[in-house]
Amino acid sequence: MFGLDKKDTSKLIIVACLALLAPFILNPFPTDSALAQFNAGYPDLMQRFVIFGIFAIGFNILFGLTGYLSFGHAAFLGVGSYSAVWMFKLIGMNVIPAIVLSVIVAGLFALLIGFVSLRRSGIYFSILTLAFAQMSFNLAYSVLTPITNGETGLQLTLEDPRILGVSATADGSIPVTNLFGLEMRSTFEMAVGPWAFQFNAGYYLCALIMLAAFYLSIRIFRSPFGMMLRAVKSNQQRMNYTGLNTRPYTLAAFVISGMYAGLAGGLMASMDPLAGAERMQWTASGEVVLMTILGGAGTLIGPVLGAGFIKYFENIFSKINDNVLHTWFSFLPDGMEDAVVFIIHPFIGKGWHLTLGILFMLVVIFLPGGLVEGGQRIKGWLSRRKSKDGGKAAGETNPAE
Amino acid sequence: MGILEVKDVGKRFGGLQALSNVNLSVQENSVHAIIGPNGAGKSTLLNCLVGKLIPDTGSVMFDGQSVLGRAPYEINQMGISRVFQTPEIFGDLTVLENMMIPCFAKRDGAFELNALSSVLRQKDILQKAEHMLEEMNMADKRHMHAAAMSRGDKRRLEIGMCLSQEPRLLLLDEPTAGMARADTNNTIDLLKQISDERDITIAIIEHDMHVVFSLANRITVLAQGTPLVEDDPQNIRGNPKVREAYLGESA
């Protein structure tokens, strides 16, 4: 289907089902139950899942295929966000021009940074990209204040021209982002018994774009271009002595992944029209590296899983506080309850990074291929157990004969 | 006029004059061996031919065009393929994919942004790669990871990859170094077959005299960075100068 083989089509279908049914899948617990805080089916959070999914899918095209580890991809995300917000300020509140511009601007920016950074490989490449990203961050934070509005961040105001729209709505407020009239924030709530499911227009736009981005990445992975990128990772020397110029291949991969990051940034601004310099900070660049490695670098579905995994834990673990813990462990005797809460305390709330760090370490040590490798191992273990059972059954029948 | 003409090439590394006044003419469709004791400058010369090093003096002409100052990939696209001392293949890719990449390089040139069509739809490339694998007797290994193969197989694959580009000149850098006798003989047979069946010139750098004398129809002896003799194999064998270079004056 769509020019994909059977396996890839099934991957696409799995991701499509996960994305389109996310409001159900992420809301397994009734609204009033004690477990409701593990629900993640809120528009805001679901949007972040798929947007960071796009970011990680794009990053994986560079890192997973060519092995070039960029530590500055957040710069493209930030540039995309700024471009989109400027589009909302100048043109109008429709998200399409904003997203298109953010992809183009991020692509051009990636061309510039990639052209310089790709003169080196390995750790030097990583450091160059990191330096560029920090430069961009600092420029956005201070020097380029007229464009970026510095530390306050770029926001919409009532004075913006919006030549194809209105500066202010009839009731005097700032108009909201929309897709040809469909407001991104509009949410349809469906109550089924004790459950409440939320279907948000913005989320579904992001999800559809993420599916398109995922489909495109499958095509790239399976194309001659993708094969050349894997060859770059495997042996650049052989590439050069086989008449292939590695530079344009790596640069093309860099620009494509930069455009994915710009798309993610543009979508982020489309969901919530503001852009701040902190989106370009090195921690944001590091996060996408974590997502890709955690999910499984070089695999198709890994980055999506990694992005969802990290964003879920970020939101859920950081929401748990001591009070919640006390209610959970209230069945324990008083002293023990306090002790248990004391032990768990550093891992929750603001300390959720500690939990993430431990999870990341465990995955890297025991599952170097990321969550995808974990899935494969479970699958292999199940099929082995099944065949063993089959073998046992056969063994039992043999003597009877 | 040979297909490869090296004129007055010199190369200095700091205080070491690695090559000086190297003149070499490789005739079309011959098998030309470059031999010499350790440190004679054989590898430096080879690196000057493929664009890895640029000589300080002299010229290197391939088929009437200068190769100096061109990047390795450009020189390869001119028709020179190189086989390395330790096989350089794409270890993470399958054997078939390894064979497809030079086919793409031959068809599409140094860069082609072919990002949306599936590899499996490139019927001409697949066919050519499969054909080459059969010719190299490796068709049964096509889905194997290249890194998992034995050294002899890797060497075979690398030679096959070079041949699938249909080069006019094949450069081999000690192709049998570190190989067992049986593997060495297989490689000799393979190279013989290649030079007999194809319209190709082979230049080979080699240590092993057995390999040199079973393949070459022209030999250049290099010593201390300059060519000592260039002659036919039977004359090289008895040449006292060559013995001296290899065994020292006392012999």
Side-chain angles (χ1 to χ4, degrees):
Chain A
M1 198 164 56
F2 312 123
L4 302 182
D5 69 8
K6 237 176 159 180
K7 251 183 153 173
D8 292 336
T9 308
S10 62
K11 274 179 197 148
L12 184 64
I13 291 172
I14 291 172
V15 173
C17 290
L18 285 176
L20 298 178
L21 300 177
F24 296 108
I25 298 167
L26 293 172
N27 255 0
F29 308 110
T31 321
D32 297 329
S33 72
L35 291 171
Q37 59 186 317
F38 291 110
N39 283 340
Y42 313 111
D44 169 54
L45 189 51
M46 290 193 298
Q47 285 165 6
R48 245 177 295 159
F49 284 159
V50 288
I51 289 172
F52 278 93
I54 293 172
F55 191 18
I57 291 170
F59 185 76
N60 190 41
I61 291 174
L62 179 72
F63 176 57
L65 288 179
T66 69
Y68 277 77
L69 177 56
S70 162
F71 257 111
H73 256 51
F76 308 127
L77 185 105
V79 167
S81 284
Y82 281 121
S83 320
V85 176
W86 269 110
M87 246 8 209
F88 295 136
K89 284 168 95 70
L90 298 177
I91 304 292
M93 297 307 286
N94 195 326
V95 294
I96 297 292
I99 292 170
V100 170
L101 184 79
S102 60
V103 173
I104 293 171
V105 173
L108 291 174
F109 197 55
L111 188 67
L112 180 76
I113 291 185
F115 185 78
V116 179
S117 305
L118 286 166
R119 294 179 169 268
R120 290 285 169 269
S121 60
I123 187 90
Y124 302 102
F125 168 79
S126 304
I127 297 294
L128 278 172
T129 51
L130 177 63
F132 271 115
Q134 278 305 90
M135 252 152 67
S136 314
F137 164 71
N138 282 314
L139 284 177
Y141 201 73
S142 54
V143 183
L144 293 178
T145 302
I147 302 175
T148 61
N149 204 20
E151 47 187 300
T152 327
L154 193 60
Q155 287 165 348
L156 302 183
T157 65
L158 289 168
E159 285 82 50
D160 296 329
R162 277 189 272 283
I163 48 175
L164 293 181
V166 287
S167 291
T169 54
D171 57 3
S173 57
I174 297 171
V176 294
T177 53
N178 63 69
L179 176 71
F180 303 112
L182 174 66
E183 287 185 9
M184 288 295 103
R185 64 176 186 191
S186 65
T187 302
F188 168 72
E189 246 178 81
M190 184 171 91
V192 182
W195 284 277
F197 302 111
Q198 301 184 38
F199 302 90
N200 171 265
Y203 167 72
Y204 275 100
L205 176 72
C206 293
L208 289 176
I209 292 177
M210 192 270 276
L211 285 178
F214 183 64
Y215 170 69
L216 192 65
S217 96
I218 299 181
R219 291 296 292 258
I220 290 174
F221 266 63
R222 301 293 179 238
S223 72
F225 175 69
M227 195 162 93
M228 292 299 173
L229 295 183
R230 283 188 293 133
V232 167
K233 184 180 185 177
S234 182
N235 192 338
Q236 290 220 24
Q237 168 118 306
R238 189 20 96 198
M239 282 288 271
N240 287 323
Y241 288 97
T242 308
L244 294 160
N245 190 359
T246 51
R247 188 77 69 73
Y249 279 107
T250 46
L251 186 58
F254 193 84
V255 171
I256 291 171
S257 78
M259 288 166 86
Y260 268 79
L263 174 65
L267 281 173
M268 230 180 243
S270 301
M271 297 304 115
D272 186 10
L274 49 86
E278 75 288 342
R279 267 183 206 170
M280 303 172 115
Q281 221 171 355
W282 66 275
T283 47
S285 297
E287 197 177 44
V288 73
V289 179
L290 292 190
M291 286 172 182
T292 310
I293 294 176
L294 193 70
T299 62
L300 281 167
I301 224 166
V304 185
L305 294 181
F309 188 85
I310 288 188
K311 283 292 150 192
Y312 181 81
F313 280 97
E314 175 183 307
N315 283 279
I316 301 307
F317 274 95
S318 58
K319 252 196 298 185
I320 301 171
N321 55 30
D322 281 4
N323 290 336
V324 177
L325 286 182
H326 277 291
T327 51
W328 284 357
F329 296 106
S330 55
F331 64 90
L332 292 172
D334 265 358
M336 260 172 83
E337 182 188 323
D338 287 342
V340 168
V341 170
F342 179 76
I343 290 168
I344 301 179
H345 173 81
F347 295 92
I348 51 155
K350 281 180 184 162
W352 85 273
H353 279 110
L354 191 58
T355 318
L356 177 68
I358 291 169
L359 286 172
F360 185 72
M361 265 162 42
L362 290 175
V363 167
V364 169
I365 292 169
F366 296 106
L367 295 171
L371 297 175
V372 168
E373 190 186 331
Q376 282 164 349
R377 283 203 197 166
I378 291 171
K379 217 166 125 191
W381 181 71
L382 285 177
S383 68
R384 238 177 300 138
R385 220 174 63 150
K386 210 183 260 172
S387 66
K388 218 190 235 169
D389 287 354
K392 224 187 254 166
E396 278 163 8
T397 49
N398 274 343
E401 284 167 18
Chain B
M1 189 77 175
I3 187 166
L4 183 74
E5 291 283 341
V6 178
K7 283 230 157 56
D8 299 324
V9 161
K11 178 78 193 171
R12 173 178 279 278
F13 297 112
L16 175 74
Q17 187 74 39
L19 294 176
S20 54
N21 297 323
V22 177
N23 286 289
L24 185 71
S25 173
V26 177
Q27 299 304 311
E28 193 146 14
N29 293 330
S30 66
V31 179
H32 196 126
I34 298 161
I35 62 171
N38 274 330
K42 302 184 298 287
S43 297
T44 309
L45 177 60
L46 187 81
N47 284 333
C48 287
L49 305 182
V50 294
K52 191 165 187 182
L53 291 175
I54 299 176
D56 303 329
T57 59
S59 68
V60 179
M61 306 288 277
F62 174 70
D63 199 22
Q65 279 182 296
S66 173
V67 304
L68 297 187
R70 292 183 199 246
Y73 75 88
E74 290 172 312
I75 295 175
N76 177 280
Q77 290 282 358
M78 288 167 76
I80 302 181
S81 274
R82 176 184 182 176
V83 173
F84 287 80
Q85 195 169 343
T86 31
E88 292 279 355
I89 52 172
F90 302 111
D92 304 330
L93 274 57
T94 67
V95 172
L96 179 62
E97 285 173 328
N98 266 276
M99 203 54 105
M100 288 173 81
I101 284 173
C103 299
F104 276 117
K106 175 79 184 166
R107 191 190 73 180
D108 299 338
F111 174 69
E112 171 84 29
L113 186 61
N114 198 352
L116 292 179
S117 75
S118 167
V119 169
L120 301 173
R121 299 235 170 123
Q122 313 288 319
K123 295 280 183 242
D124 54 328
I125 299 278
L126 273 169
Q127 215 172 358
K128 196 172 161 191
E130 292 271 9
H131 178 76
M132 202 64 217
L133 284 178
E134 261 158 46
E135 218 166 294
M136 290 286 127
N137 285 327
M138 324 187 73
D140 53 324
K141 301 195 172 74
R142 62 165 72 85
H143 294 303
M144 216 169 145
H145 260 229
M149 293 196 301
S150 74
R151 175 134 180 178
D153 281 343
K154 282 181 188 166
R155 167 66 71 224
R156 246 184 140 65
L157 174 63
E158 192 187 23
I159 293 174
M161 286 164 72
C162 288
L163 289 181
S164 65
Q165 291 193 287
E166 298 154 38
R168 299 189 54 203
L169 174 63
L170 183 64
L171 293 174
L172 298 120
D173 188 0
E174 303 200 23
T176 62
M179 269 191 191
R181 199 83 228 174
D183 274 342
T184 303
N185 288 335
N186 284 338
T187 310
I188 293 174
D189 291 344
L190 177 66
L191 291 173
K192 251 190 195 146
Q193 190 193 342
I194 291 166
S195 84
D196 289 347
E197 290 175 2
R198 286 168 189 269
D199 188 20
I200 194 171
T201 312
I202 296 179
I204 178 168
I205 283 180
E206 189 50 83
H207 237 48
D208 188 334
M209 289 302 133
H210 170 59
V211 178
V212 172
F213 286 111
S214 17
L215 282 173
N217 40 38
R218 193 79 183 163
I219 296 176
T220 299
V221 182
L222 219 57
Q224 288 167 354
T226 45
L228 208 57
V229 203
E230 183 181 325
D231 215 332
D232 295 335
Q234 59 268 31
N235 298 335
I236 292 284
R237 231 185 258 269
N239 192 317
K241 267 187 174 175
V242 177
R243 289 198 175 181
E244 195 183 295
Y246 263 89
L247 302 170
E249 267 176 79
S250 59

